Each structure stands twice: as structure tokens, then as C-alpha cells.
Amino acid sequence: MNTETLLIHAARQTATAAHSVSPPLVRTSTTVFASYDAYKQAQGGLVFDGPRYGRSGTSTTFELQRAMARIANTEACIATGSGLAAITAVLAAHAGPGHHILVGAGVYGPTRVFCDDVLIPSGTDVEYFAHDVDVSPLLRENTSLVFVETPASLTMEMWDVPAICAAAHDRGVPVACDATWGTPVFFDAHALGIDISIHAATKFINGHSDLLLGLATGTLDALAGVRAYCDRNGTHAAPDTCWLTLRGLRTLAVRMERHQRSAFAVARWLQSQSGVQRVLFPALETDPGYKLWQSQFSGAAGPFTVELAPCSEEAFTHFIDSLSLFGLGTSWGGFESLVMPAVPHHLRALATPANTPRLVRFHIGLESPQDLCDDLAAALAAVRGDGGTGGQLQEAGIG
Ligand SMILES: Cc1ncc(COP(=O)(O)O)c(C=O)c1O
């Protein structure tokens, strides 16, 4: 089955039993068993997606986990309370004194904070590496995980995922990837060699900006340590957010298509505007990551980052405050367009107003792209101090 079909038909086992199209929302703290034998089997934890105790999930959780595993073309999935909880569970499950973990330098800021403030002080050797270096010489005897995010948060660099996986697997090292940007609709993580694919379902997968949820997919073997970590730490998701995410899943493919079309149109339009220095979006032919994007992704819904021409702090503030359709917020993947100033976490310590490029991150929502460009044109004109408009949006083809 194609992904579009799976998104509609997966996760409906319990719906069939309830004579409904949508799986029932099952909330419970306590699981009760029909027999002592069933109890012993469940508590032994042998069934990955089986009821044990409310914390590890109810039938609603298992429906979402099974659906996500099918969509990602793998065996299993674990739902966690947030995207960050999935990331930290994967990292922590591979960490410990004497372990060495390689982490892509441009990962989501809080991922780095977890490495710097939790893993390193407790004895894990975390080494950051850049997107354009060969990972092979960095792998050591004690390397327990390679962790990347592609494209990198804010700076949007692409990682050569198949090359990293080949080098790591050669040494028996698993690779985990924060694949939130591509979603399984545009990024077939496991087919590219990734062992554990992580999604902040908070973003595109749920798509309605009304919950936080993380999903980690992989084989039963690859996820065994992560599952044990989640069990020990109570990291699992609540059934309510799983139910809402199942609802979001049904429309994921059509939303991604629309986000993609609008993101391309707005990104290309921005490239032609005075006051815009650079658009960092690997799906544009002009982007240094274009070739890697083309070979690893089947689409791009954004978000993307824009470097404005050098301007004063006052003008930059004026640009952001002049936008009326773009909410000022640190998220993306929902129905609504968003903007935020983008100083990559790992460059923050070095940043001064004088040396920091004027970067803004945009998420292009489901509004009319013409209206969004009109809004951006007015904000750019306000910064330039002219009354000019950006003109009609040319519907752009997809690269
Ligand atoms: C790339 C990426 N990964 C993970 C997360 C964390 O997701 P959550 O907010 O659900 O913890 C975010 C949130 O912004 C993100 O941008």
C-alpha cells in the first residue's frame, strides 16, 4: 500500500471492533487481565504493543504506534510525551560512563542542551561533528551511537545519511536521526539505513498545534534499549495525545503537499526580494544541500531560514513586528504560519549583534501563499523605508 492509503487505513483495528471509523480513545491507569496466565505474559513485557499498565500505553497508544511503524516501513514505534522526550530517551539509552556518542553539530538546540548538561556531566563522551566531514575516522571502539538531524535545525545543512550509516554500520554502531522535518511522507529514513528515526509529532504529523508528542521508530531490536529506558523513566505518551495524533495522521499527506507547494512559492518569491540576502532551503537548486536533498527526500514542506540584508536591531525588530499573518513563535508544522529569529544554539555563545547574520526561520502554513507574500512584502518595505510591494506571486514548480 502507498503511504497515502496507509495513513487512512492503518490504526483501525480497535475501530472495527467498536463499529466506528475512528479508534476509541481508551484512558486508563490500570489494565485488568482475564486470567493469571495473561497477566504473567503481559508483565513479562514480551508483547511490544501489548497492555501492561497504563503508563506504557492503552489500545489507543498501540494503534498509533502500529500505524507509525507501518508507515515508516519498520517493525515498531514508541510514543513519548514530547519530541524532546523521544530524543533524550534514544540518546540516554545509548549513553553512560565510557560511551562515546557522535552528534551532528546543528541539531535542535534542546538536544544539544541535553548532551551538554546531562550526558557529558554524567560521563558520556559527546563529540559534535560538522555536516561536511567524513564520519569514519571519528568512530571509536567505544562509540555507541551516531545521532544526526537532517536538515540541521535553523542552519538547514544536509547530512549524507547513507554515507554516515554505511560508515557506522561497518563498525557495528547504530544511527539515530531526528527526521521531524521530512516526516515519513517525504523521508524514508529506514530505507536510507537509519536504525532509529525520531519525530516530534508535535509538528507536521499532528499538524494542528494543539499537543506535544514524540515518536521513535525502528526494529524491535533497535528500540529494545529505548523501550527499557521509557519503562524505567515513565516517558510514554498519554492516550489523549495519541488519539489526536491519529486524527492528524489521516490528513498528513495532503497537508504536506500543500505546505510544500506554498513553501516553494514563498521561498522563491523571497529570493527575488531586495532586503533578502539568502534563503536557506535545501529544496532550492541554489542551496548547497540541494543534491543531498534530491537524493534522500521525495519532497520538502519547509520550514526554511532566511538571511536578511544587514540591518540595525531596530529595523530587524520592526520587520518581525510588522508581520501580521506570521505568528511569532518557536514552533512549526501546524496549520498556521510562524516566524522566529533564528540564532543557531551552538553559535549563540559567539553571537553579537554586529557579527550575527539576520536570520529568521519561517514556517509556511496553510494560508494563501499570495496573502503571505503580501504580508512579507509590507514588512520588508517597512524595513527598507519604502512603500513598495512585492508584486504578484509566481506559482513556482517544485525542484
Ligand atoms: C527538529 C526538532 N526536533 C524536536 C523538537 C522537539 O519537539 P517537542 O517540542 O515535541 O519536544 C523540535 C521542536 O521544535 C524540533 O524543531
Side-chain angles (χ1 to χ4, degrees):
M1 260 186 255
N2 287 305
T3 303
E4 289 90 336
T5 313
L6 271 179
L7 288 167
I8 307 302
H9 289 280
R12 289 177 54 186
Q13 248 167 282
T14 54
T16 307
H19 302 283
S20 60
V21 291
S22 183
L25 166 55
V26 174
R27 293 188 182 113
T28 193
S29 60
T30 312
T31 304
V32 287
F33 298 89
S35 66
Y36 183 42
D37 266 354
Y39 172 88
K40 279 191 292 189
Q41 213 189 6
Q43 301 309 328
L46 299 177
V47 182
F48 195 90
D49 271 335
R52 282 176 285 157
Y53 172 62
R55 200 169 50 225
S56 61
T58 72
S59 62
T60 313
T61 323
F62 307 139
E63 285 279 27
L64 174 64
Q65 292 183 164
R66 281 194 296 262
M68 193 58 193
R70 280 187 77 188
I71 291 155
N73 280 313
T74 186
E75 288 175 344
C77 171
I78 299 169
T80 59
S82 69
L84 184 60
I87 292 167
T88 58
V90 170
L91 285 166
H94 293 84
H99 288 71
H100 170 243
I101 296 185
L102 282 166
V103 177
V107 291
Y108 174 56
T111 303
R112 266 187 94 117
V113 171
F114 180 74
C115 291
D116 293 343
D117 294 359
V118 179
L119 295 189
I120 294 174
S122 51
T124 303
D125 189 354
V126 177
E127 183 179 349
Y128 296 107
F129 69 104
H131 69 286
D132 52 359
V133 303
D134 176 10
V135 80
S136 311
L138 305 178
L139 291 157
R140 301 185 200 156
E141 275 303 299
N142 61 340
T143 304
S144 52
L145 184 72
V146 179
F147 184 103
V148 292
E149 179 187 328
T150 189
S153 267
L154 307 183
T155 46
M156 308 301 294
E157 292 109 354
M158 295 294 300
W159 257 254
D160 188 343
V161 168
I164 291 170
C165 292
H169 293 164
D170 228 30
R171 307 282 291 270
V173 177
V175 179
C177 177
D178 181 336
T180 303
W181 191 85
T183 81
V185 172
F186 289 153
F187 186 61
D188 198 352
H190 298 299
L192 290 166
I194 288 162
D195 301 281
I196 302 178
S197 176
I198 303 163
H199 300 270
T202 308
K203 315 295 181 194
F204 285 122
I205 291 180
N206 174 58
H208 291 76
S209 310
D210 51 7
L211 60 82
L212 289 119
L213 190 100
L215 297 167
T217 60
T219 59
L220 293 167
D221 201 32
L223 289 181
V226 183
R227 185 186 188 226
Y229 175 90
C230 291
D231 282 348
R232 280 196 299 270
N233 290 276
T235 311
H236 297 280
D240 294 63
T241 48
C242 291
W243 189 89
L244 284 166
T245 303
L246 276 168
R247 191 171 65 170
L249 213 55
R250 308 298 179 204
T251 56
L252 178 64
V254 284
R255 284 185 287 106
M256 293 302 279
E257 229 174 88
R258 173 58 189 262
H259 282 297
Q260 163 162 258
R261 199 153 25 95
S262 297
F264 267 102
V266 176
R268 289 222 166 95
W269 176 87
L270 277 164
Q271 278 187 308
S272 69
Q273 299 302 301
S274 72
V276 171
Q277 195 121 310
R278 225 161 32 120
V279 179
L280 311 175
F281 187 27
L284 295 174
E285 300 86 338
T286 47
D287 193 278
Y290 178 70
K291 282 216 158 65
L292 286 176
W293 170 76
Q294 220 185 13
S295 64
Q296 294 171 33
F297 287 75
S298 61
F304 57 79
T305 299
V306 169
E307 183 178 346
L308 299 177
C311 61
S312 66
E313 185 67 13
E314 195 188 8
F316 188 62
T317 305
H318 194 42
F319 170 75
I320 291 189
D321 287 347
S322 299
L323 290 165
S324 61
L325 291 179
F326 289 82
L328 174 56
T330 60
S331 193
W332 49 282
F335 54 87
E336 78 293 10
S337 289
L338 292 171
V339 63
M340 66 173 231
V343 182
H345 181 85
H346 59 299
L347 305 177
R348 247 170 234 180
L350 307 170
T352 68
N355 74 5
T356 310
R358 294 297 184 185
L359 295 176
V360 270
R361 209 262 309 275
F362 289 108
H363 165 61
I364 305 303
L366 301 175
E367 304 92 336
S368 142
Q370 179 67 62
D371 291 342
L372 295 175
C373 289
D374 289 347
D375 195 30
L376 287 162
L380 286 167
V383 173
R384 290 193 304 261
D386 61 43
T389 63
Q392 277 302 108
L393 173 70
Q394 300 267 317
E395 273 288 338
I398 289 161

